[in-house]
Amino acid sequence: MVTVSGLRDAALGGLDRAVAEWAELAAALDALAGRATTGVAGPLRASHWTGADADAAARAVAVRGEQVAVAAQEARCVLTVLDTAAEQLRAAQREVRVGLAEAASAGFTVSEAGRVLPADPGRGAEGATVERRLAEPVRRAAEIDDRCARALARLYPTPAADWADTAADRVAVTALAGLRPGAIPKGDPAAAARWWAGLSATDRARYQAAYPALLGATDGLPTEVRDRANRVALAEAKAAVTAELAKARAERDMAGRIDDARRRLRVTELKGRLAAIESLEAVLGSAADLFLMGFDARDDGRAIVAIGNPDRAAHTAVYVPGTGARLAHIGSDVARMRSLWQAAGRLTDPGEVSAITWVGYDAPDTLVHATTTSYADTAAPALAKFLRGVGVAQGIETNRHLTVIGHSYGSVVLGQAARRDEGLFAKDVIVVGSPGMHATRAADLDLDPRHVWVGAAHDDMVVALGFGAHAPTVDGRPRGVTPDDAGFGANRFTTDGAEGHSEYWSTRRPTALDNQAAIVVGNYAAVRLLWGVRP
């Protein structure tokens, strides 16, 4: 039972120490989960050990790593409860102490139980008012104590916590702590970086516990913070979709032929969403140097995956794929950037290079859909903000080398983003297989044309049928030359050996790949040109 004297004398420093220790535990568990990937799973993959035992070992490592990651998130929930208790109890304690001091100065005596005894019997009404004032913070303290105790009890894993349990705990703890998502700056990467830098370790852990998906999507935050938050969001999304799929299957089976088509369609949709999530999990589990900078399971899905930490890279490439890009296909897009990252690493220290796959927009599903700029119009602000965030997280004053690569419809997205007021925040732009950028010359992209680079395979039909002056007109006006035209004013590099629309990252015929790698690391003299002027 909370009393006036008990609240007055409560040593709340113990709660503060407990919060700090739980914060240390969460950080240690995060590090341990990372070592499970880099120190155990990585060497297992590199050993080329195969067979049933190898598969069992890989599964065991993945399960243990996931259990540690769950424990880290639960630890953040615990410290959030304890920190909330400390903060609110301290406020109630201050109020009681002020009330006791005022009562003493007014000549009242307050018992240990909180009863007010006036020296003058004629001041009984005034004493009753003082007593009520002291009772209010005591009542609040008792309520806080009870709510936090119940919250801690629900965090106890029975029989063991999983991501579904953690998601439910996160929601409950966020409500208890009164945290609000509006405190996180969403539209300004520089503001987000300042906000994060100004938080204490405890406050950072509280926000990681409360809003992993929102933190993971906030441009300007450190890559390691976004990666950790997005992996939690990914795991929680998988748990939610898995539960929803089980429910949909049960409803379908119980319904029989009633609404059969609608229920089957729902099951199919959820199976596809789960498969897409698992494809991203497979990519993230394939190497230890990957960072998940963005994730969203809705619709076709979104994912932003970096090879190497861009915060510490001297050279960063951001790849924007085109028509058909979606979460389910993230593996092939990341594989292209793996080839580019490796080629760039042969020209400089691999630790100085990061290659990012940006599937951060709703790409057209078909070539018919790709004839409109509406997808690019929607994507352009998000791409510009992301690129700005990469620079902010690096420390924009360092002027590190950022290259943006647009393939197919991705080049349309680049074109729309480049003509925005804020621009692309990039030093070099590469477009390959481009149907056009809705610009008539490289200078329209608000860049030095010497830093605009173009590759086009001899038989790439998307280029041939693109938005160029040789393509059909709109209202009697040409749509603009394609970037591979000499009149566009960009540097056209060689793509010898590349065939069709998708061989620009081929390691069997690496001319186009090697040229892009040289641009990414700033070795412009090594780029083989058909025409143009090197920087």
Side-chain angles (χ1 to χ4, degrees), residues 78-131:
V78 170
L79 75 87
T80 299
V81 175
L82 295 177
D83 194 51
T84 300
E87 179 182 337
Q88 296 187 12
L89 287 173
R90 187 165 280 114
Q93 185 180 66
R94 284 194 299 269
E95 192 173 334
V96 157
R97 287 176 174 176
V98 168
L100 287 172
E102 291 177 349
S105 66
F108 292 102
T109 301
V110 182
S111 72
E112 295 293 301
R115 295 297 303 276
V116 176
L117 306 174
D120 181 355
R123 300 177 66 193
E126 188 180 349
T129 300
V130 172
E131 192 170 298

Side-chain angles (χ1 to χ4, degrees), residues 224-250:
E224 290 182 350
V225 172
R226 297 184 69 171
D227 175 66
R228 186 178 304 124
N230 279 314
R231 287 178 188 257
V232 171
L234 172 65
E236 289 187 355
K238 182 182 180 181
V241 172
T242 299
E244 196 174 355
L245 176 58
K247 179 181 177 182
R249 280 173 165 159

Side-chain angles (χ1 to χ4, degrees), residues 389-446:
V390 171
V392 166
Q394 287 181 338
I396 199 69
E397 71 281 356
T398 62
N399 194 28
R400 293 184 181 178
H401 185 194
L402 178 63
T403 302
V404 192
I405 304 167
H407 175 231
S408 190
Y409 193 85
S411 69
V412 184
V413 177
L414 263 60
Q416 300 299 85
R419 292 196 298 279
R420 292 177 56 82
D421 290 342
E422 63 268 36
L424 278 173
F425 303 103
K427 187 172 184 179
D428 286 287
V429 167
I430 301 172
V431 295
V432 289
S434 174
M437 302 180 75
H438 290 266
T440 57
R441 41 192 198 121
D444 294 340
L445 303 177
D446 198 28

Side-chain angles (χ1 to χ4, degrees), residues 19-67:
V19 169
E21 289 169 359
W22 278 95
E24 290 176 6
L25 175 60
L29 289 168
D30 281 330
L32 183 59
R35 288 200 297 275
T37 299
T38 58
V40 182
L44 276 177
R45 286 188 297 269
S47 71
H48 303 296
W49 179 28
T50 59
D53 289 345
D55 293 341
R59 285 193 299 271
V61 170
V63 168
R64 296 296 182 269
E66 185 167 297
Q67 288 172 338

Side-chain angles (χ1 to χ4, degrees), residues 42 77 144 245 272 278 339 354 357 407 431 502:
C77 287
I144 294 162
L245 176 58
E278 289 175 340
S339 296
S354 176
T357 299
H407 175 231
V431 295
S502 301

